[in-house]
Amino acid sequence: MRYLDPQIETLPRAELDKLQELRLLAMLQYVYDGNGLIREVWDAAGVKPSDIKSLADYRAKAPFIDKDMIRDYRDRNDDPCGGLRIADYRDIPHVGFTSGTTGDPTPVPNGKGSATEPEILREFWQIGARGGDYVTYMMFTFRGGINRTSFLNEAGFTPILSPHDPAMLPQMIEAIETYRPTILYMLSTPMMIGLEKFFETSDKDPREVFKSVKGGVFGGEPMSPRFQKLAKDWGIEIFDYTSLGDVTGAMECRAHNGFHAWEDLALVENLDPDGNPVPDGEMGELVVTALSDPWAPLVRFRTADLVKFDRSPCSCGRTHLRFWTLGRAGDQTFINGTAVLPRDIQAIVEQFPETKAALFQIIRPQARMDLLRLRVGYDGLTDSQEALAARIASKVTQVLGVPSDIELVPAEELLKLGPPQKIPRVTKS
Ligand SMILES: [Zn+2]
C-alpha cells in the first residue's frame, strides 16, 4: 500500500475543499470564544464567526494575524501564549518553543492528536517505514519540537531518541548499526557537517552504516547541493522537510517535486501584500489556518514565508497541493536593486574547500544596501584569509552581479549562533 491514509491522501480536490470548509466552520466560534488574540482582532475588524458561512466568506472577510501581533498581545496581557491558547492548562500535555530564528522563541502548547502526528506518520509510511521498524528521532525545536513520542509507539515504531546535537552522532551511529532503523529523522546542516567530520576520521563505510535507511528527512533550511551529493554518496535518499507555517510539518514525496501541504490539517493560502490570492506558480506569502489544533490554533496567520503553489495532481497520486519555499520575506536583501536571498549565497560559499560547510550570514542593517556584506565561516586555509575573501567576493560578483565585502571567521564561532538546526542567515550586525 502506497499511502498510510489513502482516502485522505488522495481525496479529490472538490471533496478536500468541502472537508476544509466543514472543519473551519466547526471551529471558528470555539476559537473566537477561547482565543483572546483572535477575538480582539476580529472585533476590531467588525467580523463575527456567524458572518462566515463558507470558505469564500472566510477568504473575503477573516482578518489576518502575524508574529508581531502575537508578541504584542503577549506583552500587553502577560500571556506567554500570545492569546492563542484556547485549552485549559490542565488539558495541555506539553509546551514547547518555536526556534526563535526571527526573534524570541514563542511557547507552543501541543499534545495528543496535534497536526504534526498524522503528518509525521504519513511521511514515515511514504518513505517505507512499517510497524516493527526502528526510526531515529533527533528532533529539533520545530513547533515545540514535538516531544511526545507515544504516537510513534502506537503506530508500531520504536524511536531511537537523541537530542538534535552533532556531539551525539557517534552514539547515534552506533545505535544505527545495532538497531538498523529505516528512517533518519531529522538531519540538518549542522548534523551533516557533524556526519561528514565523523566519516573523515573514522574507518567506517557510510554506505554500510546507513544500509537499512530508506530515507533521511532534512530540515531547517534548504539542503545545499554539496550536502545533497554527499547524502547520495552515502546511499541516503533525502526527503526535504519544512514547517507549514508553524501549523505542522510538510515533506517531499518520492517524486521530490515540492512539499505536500496536508490540506485536511491546514487551510493554506498564497497571498500578495494586499491580501489578494497569488496564482499558482507565482511567488507570494504563505498564510495558514490550523484545522486540527485544539490547543492554540493559528487563524489566518501571515507566516512571512515566500512560497509558490501547485494544485495540479502530483505523480505520486496525492491530491494535496505542493509548495516550494523561496525564503523569508524579511530575508530579501536588495543590493543596488538586485534581490538576494540566502539560498543564492549558499551555492556560492560551499564551492570553496575552506568554506564548504556553507556557514554564512548576510549582515544587513537595512533591507536596501549598495554592498553585500557577508560573514563566512572557514575551516582551514589553503592560502591567506585575504586571498580566500577575494576569491569569494569575485565569485559573488560573477554569479550575482553585486559587489560584496567578505568577513571571515572560524566556522565553530558561527555554529555557536544556533538554534541547533541552523544559524540565522540574515543579521543586523
Ligand atoms: Zn507527491
Side-chain angles (χ1 to χ4, degrees), residues 57 66 82 179-180 193 198 264 310 320 334 342 364 381 384 403:
D57 286 345
D66 62 26
Y179 296 104
R180 294 296 175 195
I193 294 171
F198 177 86
D264 59 317
D310 186 351
H320 298 242
F334 296 88
R364 193 198 71 176
L381 282 170
S384 68

Side-chain angles (χ1 to χ4, degrees), residues 121-183:
L121 294 179
R122 287 174 200 173
E123 315 304 11
F124 279 15
W125 181 277
Q126 204 254 165
I127 291 173
R130 295 294 181 267
D133 285 3
Y134 285 88
V135 297
T136 78
Y137 200 75
M138 301 173 278
M139 194 53 162
F140 53 70
T141 49
F142 168 74
R143 237 250 142 161
I146 193 128
N147 307 315
R148 283 169 37 80
T149 53
S150 53
F151 74 103
L152 292 170
N153 298 135
E154 285 158 17
F157 298 122
T158 303
I160 307 169
L161 295 167
S162 158
H164 195 84
D165 179 353
M168 299 297 294
L169 283 170
Q171 292 91 317
M172 185 48 92
I173 285 168
E174 200 179 319
I176 289 171
E177 292 179 299
T178 306
Y179 296 104
R180 294 296 175 195
T182 46
I183 306 265

